[in-house]
Amino acid sequence: MHLGTPWPLGSTITTRGVNFSVAAPTAKRVELLLFADANATQPEHILELQPCHRSGDYWHVEVEGLQTGCCYGYRIFGPHNPDSNSFHPSKVLLDPCTRAISGWDIYQREQAKGSSPNIQSCLKGVVCEREHFDFASHPRPRTPWNRSVIYELHVGGFSSGPKSEVTPQRQGTFLGLIDKLPYLRQLGITAIELLPIFAFDPSDAPTGRDNYWGYSPLNWFTPHPKYVHGDDPLQARQQVRELVAACHDEGIEVILDVVYNHTTEGSLDGPTLSWRGFSDALYYHQNDSGEYLDVSGCGNSIAANRPIVRQLILESMRCWAIELGVDGFRFDLGIALSRGEGLKPLEDPPLFEEIEADPELSDLKLFSEPWDCGGLYRLSDFPAQRIGTWNGHYRDDLRAFWKGDEDSAWRMGQRLSGSADLYKGEPAPLGRSLNFITAHDGFTLNDLVSFNRKHNLANGESNRDGENHNNSWNNGIEGPCSDHAVQALRHRQMRNLIATLLLSRGVPMLLMGDEVGRSQGGNNNSWCQDNPLGWMLWNPEQCDMDLHLFVSRLLMIRHQLSELFSPINHPPEEMPVRLQQSPDDLWLQWHGVEIDKPDWGSWSHTICYSLNRGFSGAVMWMGFNAYSKAMHFDLPEPTSAWHRILDTARPSPDDLPARPHAWTSEDIDLQNCSMLILLAEEYASKLKL
């Protein structure tokens, strides 16, 4: 063997063999174990690295004659610390930077706990190629933010089920998702946000349950093996590339939901699988007694303020973005990554500074959850200029308005027009606020209008898990019912919610299956439901195809008239003097039942506004009535004849017809629990639905 080099991290093919490099700053001795195959229970070779194989915090060696497919692991020796889980040399550790993992057939999570050896049931890293994605043949779509529509989905669940029209061998895989891309393109989706595809441990769950969502990573570089078609770990990276290439060819961007804030190693009682064994105190926030500090809710919190940890996260992002071609990242509990020593929030967190300064990451879409489980919540002041945030206020305030809560009209107006109240008095810049009503954690759209409370007994935790505050309304009866009036109201409310989302200013995100009325039976935390409850709904006999048509037409409207519904520059809410010199400028005017008299009282359940062009009249009017009775509204003077394009009170498909209907009256009735949109003729005539 040769000295090797500290860079690149992980395992890299050289002209003579393979170079290995790993960070272990406080280790006294490092062993590299080479295995004959994935299921070997004893190493073929054990290479002890000498002090000459160390450069700073990194241990490295080059081994001749090795090639891709080689299986390996580490054993780390260091000073004993009774308050730490570091340095259990009996444990075989995964390289934190490995790009493939093998040994799943013999792996046992329990054997990685305690101090006994786990060599007979350990996972192993696999030496892989590290080629770059072919951007010349499959360039990034680079969809502008004002034309972006994100669709959150689960790779394993989206192509599963007998009605998915995907072959059984490809169901639940990256390749199976490729088979369903035409559906997403035809719907009008421009980006898919994939629930975690970093390799995770399905057994990281209570007894009798499997982890389905994957929000507890085992490694930050390796695609999850269950999503790979076939058993060859070397095919995983190539299949991700095939998926990304197919998405790019369809004009669809790929965004990964990434979990850098915690790992599957959990609390001090958890297994020693990788990070913990190399340097427990380096990777995880701890107090002076060695106890873990936890703002993730999962037993540990990654210390992203430290240089070696930041280096690993950045290297992971480059792996997925440059080697595998993905177009962006959504950071799970991302604000936790801004915490420094003792979990103190940092005003200028170094990780985000380095992400924003990295030229290889400069063309990506980036956004984050602005909250963590320690109570930190930074939305408009998220400490990174290029990283947008999930707008939880948008979700909560739209739900509250449409279920008829008091004191919700003013907040509804703010969310419709860009949440200026949350962004220092100005509408959120495009890309800074991601709007959503439903997501993987919480009710689906159908369940939001069908249940007043969660029904999570299937999760095996006596209904204790999942959010209790859902801002939902069952419209009179809990769960499925045969009452036609209740069903009709639910259908109308689903259209109200999703139309508001897709026609608000900002970037919208849809949840998998909401467009066909997918239900989880009131389960608002399906993290362990790898079954039809957690899968996409493909059965046409159960799908709400009228709702699907409604959503697809909404997306056509948004795409064709983006300057109205998601303008690059937000119109001011009052007509400025400069419009006397700029007669084509648009400006926003709020109304109530009378022109220019909005009712923002706590009792109000109605709101409407118009977009006006200079002094020549209105080009659009939108009305929202969450009241239990119909309301009569005066209409502003349009620039040309009004045309009704949407009225959720009408039966489908007349709620959003292929051809807009002319409206000649100077006023209009807006039915209870409904919304309505009028367009001036010059805009209505542009629509092709």
Side-chain angles (χ1 to χ4, degrees):
M1 62 183 184
H2 304 276
L3 288 180
T5 59
W7 184 262
L9 296 175
S11 54
T12 313
I13 299 295
T14 67
T15 56
R16 294 185 294 193
V18 176
N19 186 80
F20 298 88
S21 175
V22 69
T26 54
K28 299 301 182 183
R29 184 159 61 94
V30 173
E31 289 181 350
L32 173 65
L33 282 60
L34 303 177
F35 294 87
D37 55 57
N39 295 327
T41 56
Q42 293 296 327
E44 263 192 326
H45 303 284
I46 299 177
L47 306 179
E48 183 174 340
L49 307 192
Q50 303 301 320
C52 62
H53 290 276
R54 179 171 186 168
S55 298
D57 294 327
Y58 296 92
W59 297 75
H60 47 83
V61 64
E62 183 185 17
V63 183
E64 285 192 51
L66 300 183
Q67 56 188 356
T68 56
C70 170
C71 298
Y72 69 102
Y74 286 97
R75 282 198 291 234
I76 306 297
F77 301 78
H80 177 67
N81 182 351
D83 296 323
S84 171
N85 259 14
S86 285
F87 308 125
H88 288 304
S90 61
K91 304 299 184 186
V92 178
L93 306 175
L94 270 177
D95 178 357
C97 205
T98 189
R99 282 154 166 78
I101 298 173
S102 65
W104 291 99
D105 291 342
I106 63 171
Y107 170 67
Q108 295 182 43
R109 182 179 180 87
E110 290 300 313
Q111 294 300 311
K113 298 178 180 180
S115 58
S116 59
N118 73 328
I119 194 166
Q120 293 190 334
S121 59
C122 68
L123 294 171
K124 306 166 182 68
V126 182
V127 177
C128 292
E129 48 74 26
R130 297 174 70 159
E131 299 173 1
H132 286 190
F133 183 82
D134 184 3
F135 289 108
S137 300
H138 311 282
R140 298 193 193 280
R142 295 177 180 269
T143 306
W145 277 117
N146 70 317
R147 294 181 176 271
S148 294
V149 178
I150 299 171
Y151 187 94
E152 187 193 48
L153 64 85
H154 187 284
V155 170
F158 191 66
S159 62
S160 293
K163 299 293 185 177
S164 66
E165 297 183 346
V166 176
T167 61
Q169 296 79 10
R170 290 167 67 99
Q171 287 187 17
T173 68
F174 298 118
L175 301 185
L177 179 51
I178 293 175
D179 297 339
K180 305 306 298 184
L181 291 180
Y183 169 86
L184 295 170
R185 177 181 55 78
Q186 292 164 11
L187 183 62
I189 301 303
T190 70
I192 52 176
E193 181 184 317
L194 307 182
L195 266 65
I197 63 171
F198 289 178
F200 61 90
D201 180 0
S203 66
D204 184 4
T207 303
R209 297 288 181 269
D210 285 335
N211 192 320
Y212 173 55
W213 281 353
Y215 281 94
S216 291
L218 175 66
N219 178 271
W220 291 334
F221 294 79
T222 304
H224 186 55
K226 190 175 180 181
Y227 302 153
V228 180
H229 177 48
D231 299 324
D232 185 357
L234 294 179
Q235 284 297 306
R237 287 163 55 82
Q238 186 54 35
Q239 290 182 21
V240 172
R241 290 190 183 107
E242 290 182 41
L243 169 61
V244 174
C247 287
H248 288 184
D249 294 347
E250 293 279 7
I252 296 174
E253 295 175 307
V254 180
I255 297 169
L256 302 188
D257 189 341
V258 291
V259 184
Y260 292 122
N261 65 85
H262 71 276
T263 76
T264 190
E265 290 184 318
S267 66
L268 285 173
D269 296 327
T272 299
L273 297 167
S274 183
W275 301 273
R276 172 178 288 150
F278 287 98
S279 187
D280 180 57
L282 167 67
Y283 286 106
Y284 299 119
H285 283 294
Q286 301 176 9
N287 61 19
D288 293 339
S289 300
E291 297 172 324
Y292 280 14
L293 304 178
D294 178 16
V295 291
S296 70
C298 297
N300 62 57
S301 294
I302 288 291
N305 57 304
R306 298 169 184 162
I308 291 178
V309 184
R310 298 199 306 269
Q311 177 64 53
L312 192 66
I313 293 173
L314 286 163
E315 179 69 3
S316 167
M317 293 177 67
R318 295 187 197 104
C319 167
W320 290 95
I322 306 304
E323 297 176 21
L324 303 181
V326 305
D327 305 290
F329 300 96
R330 176 266 192 188
F331 299 99
D332 174 72
L333 300 183
I335 197 62
L337 302 173
S338 73
R339 292 181 180 268
E341 296 306 316
L343 295 180
K344 179 182 178 181
L346 303 175
E347 191 59 35
D348 299 304
L351 174 64
F352 293 147
E353 289 185 331
E354 292 177 18
I355 289 173
E356 294 191 305
D358 193 321
E360 291 190 298
L361 305 177
S362 62
D363 60 347
L364 302 179
K365 282 187 165 70
L366 303 172
F367 45 92
S368 172
E369 283 183 315
W371 53 76
D372 65 18
C373 296
L376 191 59
Y377 197 138
R378 300 187 65 178
L379 184 70
S380 63
D381 62 340
F382 193 88
Q385 290 300 309
R386 283 193 54 240
I387 299 179
T389 51
W390 272 26
N391 191 339
H393 294 285
Y394 182 97
R395 170 200 59 206
D396 297 340
D397 292 341
L398 258 68
R399 290 184 179 192
F401 176 83
W402 280 117
K403 74 184 182 76
D405 282 1
E406 296 292 313
D407 197 27
S408 61
W410 185 83
R411 296 199 307 272
M412 171 73 160
Q414 293 297 306
R415 304 304 155 250
L416 285 170
S417 56
S419 295
D421 63 320
L422 303 177
Y423 289 88
K424 302 176 182 178
E426 295 290 336
L430 281 173
R432 289 288 287 175
S433 174
L434 189 139
N435 298 334
F436 68 108
I437 296 175
T438 56
H440 63 278
D441 50 349
F443 281 146
T444 66
L445 180 66
N446 192 334
D447 290 351
L448 188 64
V449 300
S450 303
F451 296 92
N452 281 352
R453 59 187 184 277
K454 66 185 182 183
H455 296 266
N456 295 357
L457 288 174
N459 296 349
E461 298 182 49
S462 301
N463 211 39
R464 294 188 302 270
D465 65 307
E467 178 61 58
N468 292 314
H469 180 65
N470 293 289
N471 257 339
S472 61
W473 178 36
N474 63 19
N475 290 278
I477 297 176
E478 186 75 359
C481 74
S482 57
D483 187 302
H484 295 299
V486 172
Q487 289 181 343
L489 186 54
R490 288 176 177 176
H491 291 162
R492 186 185 300 182
Q493 289 284 52
M494 282 195 287
R495 284 156 175 76
N496 291 335
L497 287 159
I498 209 162
T500 306
L501 169 67
L502 295 180
L503 301 181
S504 294
R505 287 172 174 78
V507 181
M509 184 187 77
L510 290 170
L511 171 64
M512 174 182 86
D514 274 357
E515 75 280 6
V516 292
R518 186 177 76 92
S519 172
Q520 294 182 164
N523 191 318
N524 73 353
N525 189 33
S526 61
W527 69 276
C528 59
Q529 300 298 331
D530 186 5
N531 53 55
L533 194 68
W535 296 347
M536 175 60 179
L537 182 62
W538 292 114
N539 189 339
E541 296 179 358
Q542 298 174 319
C543 290
D544 186 342
M545 298 312 297
D546 287 339
L547 179 59
H548 181 274
L549 176 64
F550 182 83
V551 172
S552 64
R553 287 181 174 176
L554 278 173
L555 289 175
M556 290 181 198
I557 292 172
R558 182 180 177 86
H559 292 322
Q560 293 172 29
L561 300 178
S562 60
E563 70 270 24
L564 298 182
F565 296 106
S566 189
I568 295 175
N569 297 311
H570 292 277
E573 291 191 8
E574 295 181 0
M575 183 171 57
V577 175
R578 68 181 177 83
L579 285 180
Q580 297 176 13
Q581 289 80 39
S582 306
D584 290 331
D585 281 358
L586 293 175
W587 57 283
L588 187 150
Q589 184 180 19
W590 295 105
H591 308 288
V593 294
E594 297 181 52
I595 300 297
D596 202 28
K597 294 182 179 180
D599 184 355
W600 301 118
S602 62
W603 55 83
S604 177
H605 299 290
T606 62
I607 186 174
C608 59
Y609 74 90
S610 62
L611 278 183
N612 305 327
R613 184 173 299 284
F615 297 100
S616 59
V619 298
M620 181 179 73
W621 182 90
M622 296 181 70
F624 307 82
N625 181 16
Y627 192 46
S628 58
K629 298 179 181 179
M631 300 290 287
H632 184 81
F633 291 85
D634 294 335
L635 295 175
E637 186 71 23
T639 56
S640 58
W642 282 126
H643 283 69
R644 185 182 63 206
I645 65 167
L646 181 149
D647 183 355
T648 60
R650 299 178 66 83
S652 183
D654 289 339
D655 49 5
L656 206 171
R659 293 185 178 181
H661 295 161
W663 189 264
T664 57
S665 177
E666 296 179 353
D667 49 24
I668 196 166
D669 287 329
L670 188 52
Q671 298 302 313
N672 66 300
C673 298
S674 70
M675 65 176 288
L676 194 150
I677 301 177
L678 301 175
L679 282 181
E681 185 174 12
E682 65 262 34
Y683 284 97
S685 62
K686 294 179 182 180
L687 293 177
K688 297 179 181 179
L689 304 182

